[in-house]
Amino acid sequence: MPGPETDLLQGTLDVLILKTLSWGSRHGYAIGKWLENTSDETIRIEEGSLYPALYRMERKGWIEAAWGMSELGRRAKFYELTATGRARLRAEVAAWRRLSGAVGRILEARV
Amino acid sequence: MGWRFWQPSLPREVDEELAFHLDMRVRDLIAAGLSPADARREAGRRFGDLGAVAAECRTEGARRNRRMGRMEWLRELRQDAAYGLRSLRRNPGFTAVALATLALGLGGTTAIFSAVNAVVLRPLAIPRVDRVMLASEFSDGHHGSVSVGNFVDWQRANVTRPMFQGLGSINWRSETLTGDEPERILAAEVTAEYFRIMDVRPLVGRVFSEEEDRPGAPAVVVLSHRLWQRRLGGDSALVGRTILLSGRPHAVVGIMPATFDFRADSEELWVPAAFTPAQRAQHDEHYLTVYGRLRDGVTPAAAEAMLVEAHRELTRLYPNANGNGTVRLQPMMEQFVGDARQQLFLVFGAVALVLLIACANVANLLLSRGAARSREFAIRASIGAGRGRIVRQLLAESGVLAVLATALGAGLAWAVIRALTGAAPAGVPRLDQTRLDLAALGFAAALAVGSTLLFGLAPALRAARADLQSTLRTGQARGAGGRRDFLRQALIAGEVALALMLLVGATLLVRTAIHVQRVDPGFEPRGLVTARLTLPAERYAVPEAARGTFESVLANLAASPGVRGAALTTQVPMGPGGGDNGLIPEGKPLESSSAVGSALRIVTPGYVRTMGMVLQRGRDFGPDDRAGMPRVMLMNETLARALFPGQDPIGKRVACCEGGPNDPKWKTIVGVVEDTRSRGLDRDPVREFFLPMTQAPDVAWNWIGRTMSLVARTEGDPLALAPALREAVRRVDPALPLYRLGTMEGTVSTALAPARFRTALLSSLAGVGLLLSLVGIYGVVSYLVTRRRGEIGVRMALGATPRHVMRLVVGQGLAPVLIGTAIGTLGAFAATRLLASWLRGVSPTDPLTFAAVVVVLVGTAAVASLVPARRATKVDALEAIRTE
């Protein structure tokens, strides 16, 4: 499907996942859907690429997983932010704000 | 969320999670109006490469699991450590004894090993020190100094047959550092090659050049780090300036690094030897110490052979100067460490014995504790604790114990080293440079950890294996009791054996010390004060001037109030100075092979009386024994026996010190004095002879460096004479420095310092060893009493008296003690031979010492087992049987 697809960098995907989880625990499918809806489909990811990222972040200790029951009564794996993950998110957001502010100022500068 | 604890395997986890995603997507797509088949296709397309994603997730997941495993392990370790700490805190008695025991053993071993390392094992800070050799003239079984002439000829031979990169000489003498406060310091005259052979770069500046090592060259000096720091302010700008030595300006050309100060009392500055042509031709005066660095690939044997051959030629050319001597090479390190090696290895051995006793003790403690807790283990096992878990907890407990003990031991070692370097006798080189040796601490800690873990684990394994039911029923792990008791008793026997060896060694040294206190020194040290006086060579070059000055000083001193007697000597007993000469009795051929070596003292009339020595036969020197009168000498009994066995030496004539075959300058023996312990109360007397100062050969003033000791006797405090001594010198020449002023009693005491040091050390180690063994015996007997409470109760119920019970318990405690005593006696019999060279007035296998030690050891062991045995008699029979 053609569209304004943005090639997501690995690190960016991680931050987005962290942000998604900052409101509470979710399973993988819900994370993907939330990203899709919130960004008005501007950000399109190959759904499969979400999962290696989740495992990797689990290894790094940013998120924790536990098996639970989905809304529809199926067994699902739920992810949750750890304290480390929360700190990581704060740092990434701050860095992002600084970067985007600077880039924005450059792009909007009048010659 | 009901399945909180459900944890699938990793492949299932990945498959199930991905399947859930696809199913949810399909469901949403169907809800949006797609057909089930289309929805499935679309979901797959959106997901991407399912296989690749699953594989990647499994790889990441495996890594995640490994990390979690590690964290889990760490968490459990923390838990175990906390558990270990808690359980140690619950048993403060056990913990304190175990910790103290281990820390003592560990700290002691580490400290002593550090000292051994500093003195013996650590090489000197000289590159490839193993290639540096001491070359000495060797005759009559003695390594001797080298004459300048011989040294020069050795150097020449080394040019023809190069075996050494170079040969350098060093010769020590004292020097006055002039300044606000003149000070006598030890200086060394070295040849330019000396520093090149040592191969140590100066910290600042440079060492001597060949040109500076020639007579008439401008006076230069290289400073030691110690002198530079201690006296000269440690300023690098000093290089290029001048300092005054005996009033003469010397340009400072370099400063050596601190590592070149090999010992606390080594020389503090170096000046060029600058041998004169006359000195270079002199083969008769042997006073140089010669070092050489072997060329690459040259063996010490080959180099020695070269020198021996060169020396044979010298012996042929100068038979009187060199006699039947030859040359010996010896590694510098060996010469440097010398005597101290044996001493430190002995101490190290003793400390190792204490460490072994400590480990055996802790092993015993842990065994008892493990046995006492077998019930606890059984209960824990019955409520589901895995065997691995129980073992881990016990290991953690032992581990915590070992870690704490290591920390304490390290602190103790540090403290002991500080004390040791503070109290070290000056004679042990480099002892003051001892630093805490981490390798030694590591080794001792490994031993401590190893034995703690081993003996902590043994009961745990046994408990984990033990029959649960029977353990819970009887309250004790009965089945394994026999073997464990054997192990326990074997440990006690071992401890007792080791402690006995230590005690015997210490007792022998203490008896030596007592004997030495009672040894007659051959003179009366009480009431004597002594001091050294050196006349500068420049102003007192003429022998008559030196002789006259010393005579005036002596006259002043003798006339001072309070002085009961005064004399001069080149060397007081156990003091600095002195030299050896060869004597040939009349009738023997006048060649060096008939010479008998003996220590020479040049003295003034009245020396014998002032010192309180005993004139055995003949007379003392008198005022008529002057230059120009018949030459006379005194000698001690030992020399008289060696020269004239079985004859009266009075009136006999002896050649020595001067003259030659054509003019032997005979000296007549006018008196024989009793031997003095001139090298220390714990050393045998040596051969000595005495010449009157007024008849001493002129060349002797150079031998002794125009230095003599003043001796004065008084009633009461000898130090009260100190002002009189100073005044006597000041009135003759106010610029003369008087130094080493002190009492003769102090000198005697200093000479005994090494012996006192080793006696104190071995005694305290033996004390610690004994104490540790007693604690061990007490612990084991206490344990036996606890374990046999039931049996004792039954016996008492059946009419056994408390006496019976006591005998039973004490007997059981003493059995391993007696076995250990037997083994230890045999061991001590073999080991005390190593002490033989330090023992005086007592043989290494002295039966009285052995008997006393055995009695003390068995006696104290009996007392240690009596305490718990008394407790056994208090057992309430009924109570004991009921709990059984």
Side-chain angles (χ1 to χ4, degrees):
Chain A
M1 224 187 270
E5 285 192 12
T6 311
D7 197 12
L8 276 181
L9 292 169
Q10 187 89 70
T12 318
L13 178 59
D14 290 355
V15 186
L16 295 180
I17 293 172
L18 288 175
K19 183 70 189 171
T20 312
L21 289 175
S22 66
W23 286 288
S25 76
R26 277 168 214 274
H27 48 67
Y29 184 68
I31 295 172
K33 261 183 84 175
W34 193 88
L35 283 176
E36 223 173 273
N37 297 340
T38 316
S39 71
D40 299 331
E41 310 208 354
T42 312
I43 293 171
R44 202 57 82 70
I45 51 168
E46 201 166 59
E47 290 175 8
S49 63
L50 198 59
Y51 287 92
L54 284 169
Y55 275 85
R56 198 177 49 248
M57 290 162 71
E58 210 186 332
R59 167 169 65 80
K60 287 179 179 166
W62 298 352
I63 57 176
E64 253 171 10
W67 287 85
M69 205 64 90
S70 81
E71 318 78 76
L72 299 170
R74 254 193 84 169
R75 206 157 58 192
K77 200 175 158 200
F78 285 82
Y79 293 93
E80 215 169 355
L81 275 189
T82 63
T84 327
R86 217 168 276 285
R88 179 85 202 175
L89 176 61
R90 268 197 302 275
E92 293 281 352
V93 169
W96 176 254
R97 289 230 172 90
R98 273 198 309 278
L99 180 68
S100 64
V103 172
R105 277 194 300 280
I106 293 168
L107 294 182
E108 283 157 26
R110 292 169 201 282
V111 185
Chain B
M1 296 195 196
W3 277 312
R4 260 288 184 219
F5 293 108
W6 184 76
Q7 187 61 51
S9 69
L10 182 60
R12 247 190 99 187
E13 177 187 352
V14 173
D15 290 347
E16 185 146 350
E17 187 173 17
L18 300 186
F20 173 77
H21 181 101
L22 287 171
D23 289 353
M24 292 298 282
R25 177 57 75 195
V26 168
R27 208 187 57 106
D28 281 357
L29 288 172
I30 292 174
L34 266 66
S35 75
D38 285 347
R40 203 156 290 281
R41 227 179 353 264
E42 175 62 11
R45 197 192 60 77
R46 283 196 183 194
F47 192 85
D49 186 345
L50 181 63
V53 166
E56 205 180 332
C57 285
R58 273 198 288 272
T59 314
E60 279 294 337
R63 285 167 70 183
R64 176 202 68 192
N65 287 356
R66 275 199 298 278
R67 176 176 177 272
M68 306 265 279
R70 271 199 304 276
M71 288 183 40
E72 181 68 14
W73 187 83
L74 274 175
R75 190 162 49 237
E76 281 187 17
L77 186 71
R78 251 201 312 275
Q79 261 177 23
D80 289 341
Y83 168 83
L85 267 176
R86 241 192 345 266
S87 102
L88 288 178
R89 242 199 327 254
R90 262 203 309 274
N91 294 277
F94 162 82
T95 309
V97 172
L99 270 183
T101 306
L102 276 176
L104 262 181
L106 234 144
T109 327
T110 306
I112 300 298
F113 183 83
S114 300
V116 171
N117 190 23
V119 177
V120 183
L121 306 176
R122 188 168 55 92
L124 290 171
I126 294 172
R128 303 196 56 203
V129 67
D130 56 308
R131 304 292 292 168
V132 180
M133 298 285 145
L134 169 79
S136 38
E137 294 185 16
F138 188 84
S139 62
D140 301 329
H142 291 290
H143 292 268
S145 300
V146 182
S147 65
V148 179
N150 289 349
F151 168 63
V152 170
D153 286 332
W154 289 359
Q155 276 186 316
R156 207 167 290 144
N158 189 51
V159 172
T160 330
R161 286 176 60 195
M163 294 286 172
F164 297 95
Q165 291 177 13
L167 285 164
S169 75
I170 180 165
N171 175 39
W172 290 272
R173 61 181 170 85
S174 52
E175 186 61 82
T176 307
L177 184 63
T178 325
D180 303 337
E181 210 176 297
E183 184 187 351
R184 296 292 297 180
I185 54 172
L186 188 64
E189 294 171 339
V190 297
T191 59
E193 293 94 336
Y194 177 77
F195 289 110
R196 227 172 307 139
I197 287 160
M198 296 304 158
D199 200 12
V200 177
R201 289 170 168 281
L203 186 70
V204 189
R206 58 179 179 84
V207 295
F208 310 131
S209 65
E210 298 279 354
E211 288 69 37
E212 283 161 338
D213 185 19
R214 284 182 193 148
V220 290
V221 62
V222 171
L223 302 178
S224 71
H225 191 270
R226 184 152 36 98
L227 182 69
W228 180 49
Q229 291 291 333
R230 176 174 76 77
R231 177 72 200 241
L232 302 168
D235 181 5
S236 308
L238 198 64
V239 171
R241 302 218 200 118
T242 56
I243 59 169
L244 290 178
L245 293 178
S246 301
R248 280 185 62 209
H250 284 64
V252 177
V253 296
I255 295 156
M256 296 306 283
T259 50
F260 204 64
D261 290 324
F262 295 142
R263 43 200 283 181
D265 56 353
S266 52
E267 68 273 8
E268 299 200 275
L269 58 81
W270 298 269
V271 293
F275 295 127
T276 60
Q279 280 175 308
R280 296 169 76 86
Q282 171 61 269
H283 290 83
D284 198 8
E285 293 173 23
H286 307 258
Y287 57 86
L288 294 184
T289 301
V290 175
Y291 293 106
R293 181 178 284 273
L294 296 174
R295 290 168 68 103
D296 289 338
V298 173
T299 63
E304 187 178 86
M306 185 275 284
L307 286 182
V308 166
E309 195 173 312
H311 202 74
R312 196 173 300 139
E313 180 65 13
L314 290 172
T315 315
R316 202 178 56 75
L317 286 172
Y318 313 98
N320 278 319
N322 290 320
N324 53 0
T326 178
V327 185
R328 282 287 167 85
L329 282 194
Q330 191 187 4
M332 179 184 183
M333 198 61 199
E334 199 174 286
Q335 169 236 358
F336 186 76
V337 171
D339 233 19
R341 183 188 296 261
Q342 190 193 3
Q343 179 151 339
L344 282 165
F345 277 131
L346 169 98
V347 171
F348 186 53
V351 171
L353 292 187
V354 172
L355 180 66
L356 281 178
I357 294 178
C359 285
N361 237 355
V362 173
N364 241 333
L365 276 171
L366 287 166
L367 281 179
S368 304
R369 193 165 140 74
R373 290 164 79 193
S374 53
R375 197 181 157 93
E376 177 197 334
F377 297 143
I379 292 172
R380 291 167 74 95
S382 73
I383 58 170
R387 182 174 151 183
R389 186 77 192 156
I390 291 183
V391 168
R392 267 186 63 156
Q393 280 183 348
L394 269 168
L395 282 181
E397 200 178 303
S398 302
V400 168
L401 194 64
V403 167
L404 288 179
T406 306
L408 276 178
L412 186 70
W414 182 80
V416 169
I417 287 172
R418 277 195 58 138
L420 205 62
T421 48
V428 183
R430 303 204 289 174
L431 185 56
D432 54 309
Q433 294 177 22
T434 305
R435 300 287 172 271
L436 182 62
D437 189 277
L438 289 180
L441 182 64
F443 172 75
L447 197 60
V449 171
S451 63
T452 328
L453 290 188
L454 184 69
F455 290 97
L457 194 56
L461 285 176
R462 206 169 276 144
R465 214 184 313 124
D467 174 9
L468 204 64
Q469 293 251 319
S470 78
T471 306
L472 284 176
R473 203 166 45 233
T474 63
Q476 301 287 343
R478 268 284 156 86
R483 238 178 59 213
R484 203 162 23 195
D485 282 356
F486 174 75
L487 183 57
R488 206 183 301 280
Q489 303 210 342
L491 283 169
I492 285 295
E495 278 184 45
V496 168
L498 296 173
L500 186 128
M501 289 168 67
L502 281 171
L503 281 172
V504 167
T507 310
L508 288 173
L509 285 184
V510 168
R511 290 198 57 186
T512 298
I514 294 170
H515 170 82
V516 164
Q517 292 296 325
R518 294 204 196 115
V519 158
D520 175 13
F523 62 95
E524 178 51 64
R526 247 169 306 170
L528 280 181
V529 61
T530 73
R532 300 279 283 173
L533 176 63
T534 299
L535 308 182
E538 297 79 46
R539 283 191 290 136
Y540 295 91
V542 188
E544 278 71 33
R547 199 174 292 142
T549 306
F550 276 120
E551 278 177 340
S552 310
V553 170
L554 180 60
N556 288 342
L557 180 59
S560 303
V563 173
R564 292 295 158 107
L568 296 170
T569 175
T570 45
Q571 184 186 25
V572 295
M574 302 163 224
D580 281 9
N581 284 77
L583 284 80
I584 304 172
E586 196 172 15
K588 290 266 179 70
L590 285 172
E591 46 189 53
S592 51
S593 58
S594 19
V596 171
S598 167
L600 161 67
R601 317 239 182 282
I602 299 171
V603 300
T604 55
Y607 174 73
V608 170
R609 191 179 54 83
T610 306
M611 290 300 289
M613 291 161 64
V614 178
L615 188 67
Q616 202 187 38
R617 244 174 299 168
R619 65 168 179 92
D620 187 7
F621 299 135
D624 291 337
D625 298 319
R626 291 182 317 250
M629 301 295 284
R631 296 186 187 86
V632 292
M633 74 156 61
L634 294 174
M635 60 177 54
N636 70 353
E637 293 169 278
T638 300
L639 178 60
R641 263 198 306 275
L643 282 178
F644 309 103
Q647 304 168 48
D648 182 3
I650 304 290
K652 294 254 181 350
R653 299 204 302 169
V654 172
C656 86
C657 317
E658 57 189 324
N662 301 324
D663 177 18
K665 310 227 167 169
W666 295 110
K667 299 172 178 63
T668 307
I669 300 166
V670 295
V672 175
V673 294
E674 282 184 7
D675 287 339
T676 57
R677 303 266 167 174
S678 57
R679 298 194 310 158
L681 294 181
D682 53 348
R683 310 280 283 271
D684 291 330
V686 293
R687 301 195 281 254
E688 287 178 63
F689 72 104
F690 305 82
L691 296 179
M693 183 177 80
T694 42
Q695 288 185 349
D698 288 350
V699 63
W701 290 102
N702 288 330
W703 299 345
I704 63 174
R706 292 172 182 76
T707 302
M708 296 199 83
S709 287
L710 277 64
V711 191
R713 174 173 292 288
T714 182
E715 321 255 311
D717 179 14
L719 279 181
L721 280 189
L725 257 70
R726 291 213 182 83
E727 179 61 17
V729 175
R730 205 192 55 76
R731 274 165 52 195
V732 175
D733 181 346
L736 294 178
L738 192 68
Y739 55 101
R740 276 185 187 261
L741 194 145
T743 64
M744 197 61 223
E745 277 184 299
T747 308
V748 171
S749 166
T750 307
L752 281 178
R756 254 202 313 270
F757 182 67
R758 81 183 155 242
T759 306
L761 210 63
L762 197 58
S763 304
S764 31
L765 287 175
V768 172
L770 177 65
L771 198 68
L772 289 178
S773 313
L774 293 183
V775 169
I777 294 164
Y778 172 83
V780 165
V781 176
S782 298
Y783 164 77
L784 288 176
V785 168
T786 317
R787 214 168 69 74
R788 298 179 62 180
R789 257 170 72 91
E791 183 201 327
I792 293 168
V794 172
R795 279 173 191 268
M796 286 179 71
L798 294 177
T801 61
R803 279 179 64 92
H804 272 113
V805 173
M806 292 264 279
R807 208 177 309 146
L808 178 79
V809 175
V810 172
Q812 218 183 13
L814 281 188
V817 171
L818 292 176
I819 294 171
T821 305
I823 299 171
T825 306
L826 289 177
F829 217 72
T832 49
R833 223 168 313 162
L834 298 173
L835 289 174
S837 66
W838 292 323
L839 298 182
R840 294 287 175 276
V842 60
S843 99
T845 53
D846 180 53
L848 186 63
T849 302
F850 274 69
V853 167
V854 166
V855 166
V856 166
L857 194 58
V858 174
T860 48
V863 172
S865 51
L866 263 176
V867 179
R870 277 179 58 86
R871 218 167 34 230
T873 63
K874 303 264 177 6
V875 166
D876 177 352
L878 268 179
E879 164 90 21
I881 297 168
R882 203 174 306 127
T883 44
E884 184 80 350

